[in-house]
Amino acid sequence: MTDTAPHPRPARSAGRELKEKGLFEAARAVFAEEGFKGATTAEIARRAGVPKANLHYYFPTKEALYRAVTEEILTDWLAAASSFDEKDDPKEAITAYIGAKMDLARADPLGSRIWASEILRGAPVIKDFLETTLAEWIASREAIMRRWIEAGKIRPLEPRYFFYMIWATTQHYADFEDQIRALNGGVPLSDEQFQKAKAQVVDTILHGITPL
Amino acid sequence: MTDTAPHPRPARSAGRELKEKGLFEAARAVFAEEGFKGATTAEIARRAGVPKANLHYYFPTKEALYRAVTEEILTDWLAAASSFDEKDDPKEAITAYIGAKMDLARADPLGSRIWASEILRGAPVIKDFLETTLAEWIASREAIMRRWIEAGKIRPLEPRYFFYMIWATTQHYADFEDQIRALNGGVPLSDEQFQKAKAQVVDTILHGITPL
DNA sequence: GATGGATTTGACCAAGTGGTCAATTCACGT
DNA sequence: ACGTGAATTGACCACTTGGTCAAATCCATC
């Protein structure tokens, strides 16, 4: 009320952000379905409901748009990864981490699919992330797990392959959603089914690494 | 020596099959890297070392070539799957199956990647396979596992989600090979590393489902 | 209501795209 | 040597691609 100019500059900025968001989300969907090369700027613009020339006003090139999309995905990945560090107890940490990864796969399957598609084509855009940030992440968590192993808290194993199993299994529910749907009578997993799957993944892996 | 006509008709046929094979293999590589839409017939022809027009002599359309490639992959998949049925004991059956899937991922990563790429784009070509052959396969193996559960041979679990875990984990070593390489100091897993990974996958999953 | 930068967009372009085709070359039986 | 069908391929085509651009339109400010 006291503000006589509710959106003097924000108006422009907000409009811009909204349109940019629309293009961004449309791009996520198309990149997830078609991959980087298969995606077309025309299709992205069409889904966002703007002329193609307008897309190029907000994002100079298809690759710039793609890079913006991937960056957000890496951020989300790291956020989920942080749940591994919140507990000192192996079971709690692993349970939290698997849960976070499963929830992310459920909440943002497109992100997971874009990641998968990016790896499949040789990871040209995120290669640096893999070689630096991700490599450091897994190295330090590997050290943590080795301490757990030495303390007899979990069975001896190669931590890397353990993480691969978690990544593969959790991301499978996003990347292969269409296959899972086909095997589920043509309908997507319900929330109950997904929760059960999540519990089973946690349960099986936890049992798999618990000492006798 | 006795045969004065070493390749009278076989020559033609063999030449044809060889060229077809070359195109087929080139297509596998390009489809695996770029996906169906991203792959170009020009690139496939270039890798096979033949003019593009020649490709269309052997395979009328890009999609016909793609279908030929996918059909072989489904055959390989089923062959690996049969190893599940060779043993009556759960541990032996699952060990054999995981081993076969891991070996397939190692021997033919391209096939696994084409499958993944096909699912990512909505499985237009193999949807029928998923809904019929694969659905039947998992349904009957689900029944087998339920019997094992009732007999107390394995812990109670939802067989479907168990198979998803196996598929995800084993295929991960093919589909995410580039990521694994990046996390392995830039070099692919050696044979020893891969064998160790395979053993650990078997071991963890087996422990994960073995009753206390 | 005039100014000027931000935004919008139809028209356009050079470079690919999957696919065709007619002309040529090949390999074999005669 | 010759005839014939299989195989090869350069040239071509209609269409799509990512990206450009100049002209139009908006809209906060003065």
Side-chain angles (χ1 to χ4, degrees), chain A residues 63-81:
Chain A
E63 188 173 333
L65 178 48
Y66 181 74
R67 294 191 109 94
V69 165
T70 54
E71 253 169 60
E72 191 205 44
I73 293 168
L74 303 183
T75 303
D76 292 348
W77 194 95
L78 287 172

Side-chain angles (χ1 to χ4, degrees), chain B residues 36-202:
Chain B
F36 174 75
K37 204 172 170 187
T40 69
T41 55
E43 172 67 7
I44 294 170
R46 198 190 57 75
R47 289 209 206 180
V50 307
K52 191 179 57 149
N54 202 357
L55 179 152
H56 282 98
Y57 177 75
Y58 288 100
F59 299 93
T61 66
K62 178 182 168 183
E63 188 173 333
L65 178 48
Y66 181 74
R67 293 191 109 94
V69 165
T70 54
E71 253 170 61
E72 192 204 44
I73 293 168
L74 302 182
T75 302
D76 292 347
W77 194 96
L78 287 171
S82 73
S83 61
F84 184 80
D85 307 312
E86 280 160 16
K87 309 278 180 168
D88 289 330
D89 177 65
K91 272 170 201 159
E92 287 181 30
I94 290 161
T95 299
Y97 181 49
I98 294 174
K101 287 284 289 174
M102 285 292 280
D103 290 342
L104 182 59
R106 182 74 167 177
D108 180 25
L110 298 186
S112 184
R113 283 178 213 151
I114 292 164
W115 178 305
S117 177
E118 167 70 6
I119 301 293
L120 281 172
R121 73 185 186 121
V125 165
I126 67 168
K127 179 172 281 178
D128 182 64
F129 174 87
L130 298 180
E131 289 172 350
T132 59
T133 310
L134 190 60
E136 287 157 25
W137 189 91
I138 204 172
S140 80
R141 274 67 188 180
E142 190 176 19
I144 293 171
M145 291 204 66
R146 290 204 191 287
R147 262 175 262 136
W148 288 341
I149 292 169
E150 278 171 37
K153 292 182 175 176
I154 61 175
R155 299 177 59 224
L157 48 73
E158 195 62 51
R160 276 155 197 278
Y161 308 143
F162 170 73
F163 280 112
Y164 296 164
M165 185 155 113
I166 291 178
W167 296 345
T169 303
T170 56
Q171 290 167 203
H172 182 86
Y173 283 87
D175 302 344
F176 288 74
E177 191 179 302
D178 283 4
Q179 175 175 303
I180 291 175
R181 183 191 305 129
L183 296 175
N184 196 47
V187 299
L189 291 189
S190 68
D191 284 342
E192 298 95 274
Q193 286 179 308
F194 185 80
Q195 290 306 321
K196 183 159 187 179
K198 176 166 133 185
Q200 179 168 317
V201 170
V202 169

Side-chain angles (χ1 to χ4, degrees), chain A residues 12 16 19 37 51 53-54 57-58:
Chain A
R12 180 154 40 200
R16 179 184 187 108
K19 207 153 196 177
K37 203 173 170 186
N54 201 357
Y57 177 73
Y58 288 100

Side-chain angles (χ1 to χ4, degrees), chain A:
Chain A
M1 293 295 201
T2 54
D3 192 346
T4 49
H7 21 223
R9 212 167 305 166
R12 180 154 40 200
S13 176
R16 179 184 187 108
E17 272 166 36
L18 225 123
K19 207 153 196 177
E20 213 171 298
K21 189 85 189 294
L23 283 163
F24 191 87
E25 291 305 322
R28 283 174 59 87
V30 177
F31 283 134
E33 285 169 31
E34 314 274 13
F36 174 75
K37 203 173 170 186
T40 69
T41 55
E43 172 66 6
I44 294 170
R46 198 189 58 74
R47 288 209 206 179
V50 306
K52 191 181 57 150
N54 201 357
L55 179 152
H56 282 96
Y57 177 73
Y58 288 100
F59 299 93
T61 67
K62 179 183 169 183
E63 188 173 333
L65 178 48
Y66 181 74
R67 294 191 109 94
V69 165
T70 54
E71 253 169 60
E72 191 205 44
I73 293 168
L74 303 183
T75 303
D76 292 348
W77 194 95
L78 287 172
S82 73
S83 61
F84 183 81
D85 307 313
E86 280 160 16
K87 310 276 181 169
D88 289 331
D89 177 65
K91 273 170 199 157
E92 287 180 30
I94 290 162
T95 299
Y97 182 50
I98 294 174
K101 287 286 289 174
M102 286 292 279
D103 291 342
L104 182 60
R106 182 76 167 177
D108 181 25
L110 297 185
S112 185
R113 282 178 214 151
I114 292 164
W115 179 302
S117 177
E118 166 71 5
I119 302 293
L120 280 172
R121 73 184 188 121
V125 165
I126 67 167
K127 180 171 280 179
D128 183 64
F129 173 87
L130 299 179
E131 289 173 350
T132 58
T133 311
L134 189 60
E136 288 158 23
W137 188 90
I138 204 172
S140 80
R141 274 66 189 181
E142 191 176 18
I144 293 171
M145 291 204 66
R146 289 203 191 285
R147 261 175 263 135
W148 288 340
I149 293 168
E150 277 170 38
K153 291 181 175 177
I154 61 175
R155 299 177 59 225
L157 48 73
E158 195 64 49
R160 276 155 197 277
Y161 308 144
F162 170 75
F163 280 112
Y164 297 165
M165 185 156 114
I166 291 177
W167 296 345
T169 303
T170 56
Q171 289 166 205
H172 183 85
Y173 283 87
D175 302 345
F176 288 74
E177 191 178 302
D178 284 5
Q179 175 175 303
I180 290 174
R181 183 192 303 128
L183 296 175
N184 196 47
V187 299
L189 290 190
S190 67
D191 284 342
E192 297 96 274
Q193 286 179 308
F194 184 80
Q195 289 307 320
K196 183 160 186 179
K198 177 166 131 183
Q200 180 169 315
V201 171
V202 169
D203 187 65
T204 305
I205 292 182
L206 236 38
H207 264 82
I209 64 165
T210 301
L212 301 178

Side-chain angles (χ1 to χ4, degrees), chain B residues 16-39:
Chain B
R16 179 183 186 109
E17 271 165 36
L18 226 123
K19 208 153 198 178
E20 213 172 298
K21 189 85 189 293
L23 282 163
F24 191 87
E25 291 305 321
R28 283 174 58 87
V30 177
F31 283 133
E33 284 169 32
E34 314 274 13
F36 174 75
K37 204 172 170 187

